[in-house]
């Protein structure tokens, strides 16, 4: 009885093929899950879909799928760090299936920006390796490291001290002290909300008739503060924040205090 994991070896037949398109048996990679052999240009097993350990020398054979991940999926982000003097942007754009103008715009900013987001660490490593071959140095950051589900701490006030800031938690009242030298990033932002209120009249047979509809929208300016010791950051809202901490610099309008007279 033949082994259920045995593979059929296809040989090159010049009578029906103009070239040998099959991989050599020595190039095939065994899946650690089911034990079956897979071509070296795959990231997952053909038979059981388990991830395959990719050899660096086979990286050039693999083309990433670059599908848009679902909201619930955790991915891996490839971030551009540095561009060498000699780069093959055309080749990299083809490899990533990107428009050349879009890739050029990212690289010309000379700022760390996301180049791609993929579902597996293996695929991210392939893109990183191929990018470096094209003269683009990248790093990989996982969604788990970013901890996007952890919201910034909402603040109720800021106490100014010598070389330190005392950030008071809006919900617990706890004071979090950070050094001014540890401030890493301050970002102004906006929370936009919209809703539609409808008035309907029920009719027979379960049908409804729209009587009135009122759409409303609102924008709230906010301020994000990030330190080197706290990647989740802190958030200042217009409502619930005591701007008396600004002292003589406090203005009459809250939004102006946040935009123009911010203590940070």
């Amino acid at each position: 009885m033949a082994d259920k994991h045995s593979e059929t070896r296809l040989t090159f037949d010049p009578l029906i093929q103009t070239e040998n398109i099959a991989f050599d048996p020595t190039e095939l990679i065994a899946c650690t899950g089911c034990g079956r052999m897979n071509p070296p240009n795959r990231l997952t097993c053909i038979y059981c879909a388990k991830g395959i350990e990719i050899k660096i020398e086979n990286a050039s054979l693999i083309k990433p799928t670059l599908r848009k991940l679902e909201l619930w999926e955790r991915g891996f982000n490839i971030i551009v760090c540095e561009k060498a003097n000699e780069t093959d942007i055309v080749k990299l754009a083809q490899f990533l299936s990107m428009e050349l103008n879009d890739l050029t715009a990212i690289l010309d900013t000379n700022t760390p920006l996301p180049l791609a987001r993929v579902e597996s660490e293996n695929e991210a490593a392939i893109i990183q390796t191929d990018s470096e071959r094209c003269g683009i140095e990248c790093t990989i950051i996982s969604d788990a490291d970013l901890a996007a589900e952890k919201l910034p701490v909402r603040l109720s006030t800021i106490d100014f001290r010598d070389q330190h800031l005392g950030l008071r938690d809006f919900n617990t009242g706890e004071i979090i002290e950070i050094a001014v030298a540890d401030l890493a990033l301050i970002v102004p932002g906006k929370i936009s909300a919209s809703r539609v209120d409808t008035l309907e009249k029920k009719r027979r047979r379960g049908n409804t008739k729209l009587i009135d509809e009122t759409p409303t929208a609102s924008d709230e300016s906010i301020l994000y503060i990030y330190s080197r010791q706290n990647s989740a950051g802190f958030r200042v809202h217009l409502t619930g924040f005591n701007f008396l901490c600004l002292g003589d610099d406090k203005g009459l309008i809250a939004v102006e205090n946040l935009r123009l007279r911010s203590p940070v």
Side-chain angles (χ1 to χ4, degrees), residues 214-264:
T214 305
T216 58
S218 62
D219 293 328
E220 180 189 2
S221 296
I222 54 177
L223 190 72
Y224 291 94
I225 303 172
Y226 297 93
S227 72
R228 293 181 175 84
Q229 306 300 325
N230 189 323
S231 59
F234 309 89
R235 186 162 62 186
V236 176
H237 287 252
L238 287 177
T239 56
F241 186 84
N242 187 356
F243 287 100
L244 289 174
C245 62
L246 296 177
D248 295 338
D249 290 331
K250 177 182 176 296
L252 296 176
I253 304 176
V255 67
E256 293 301 326
N257 288 326
L258 190 63
R259 293 177 181 173
L260 304 178
R261 302 171 184 267
S262 170
V264 291

Side-chain angles (χ1 to χ4, degrees), residues 15 37 73 75 107 234 250 256:
L15 298 178
M37 305 303 290
E73 289 184 285
L107 300 178
F234 309 89
K250 177 182 176 296
E256 293 301 326

Side-chain angles (χ1 to χ4, degrees), residues 139-190:
T139 188
I140 299 173
I141 301 177
S142 68
D143 286 349
D145 291 336
L146 292 175
E149 71 282 354
K150 186 176 180 180
L151 296 177
V153 176
R154 183 177 178 180
L155 301 179
S156 61
T157 191
I158 299 176
D159 300 327
F160 298 97
R161 305 167 184 177
D162 292 339
Q163 302 302 316
H164 286 81
L165 296 176
L167 310 179
R168 187 181 296 274
D169 190 315
F170 178 85
N171 297 305
T172 65
E174 176 189 359
I175 296 179
I176 305 167
E177 190 173 272
I178 63 172
V180 174
D182 284 340
L183 287 176
L185 186 64
I186 300 172
V187 183
K190 182 182 294 184

Side-chain angles (χ1 to χ4, degrees), residues 191-197 214-220:
I191 296 180
S192 299
S194 61
R195 59 179 292 176
V196 178
D197 296 318
T214 305
T216 58
S218 62
D219 293 328
E220 180 189 2

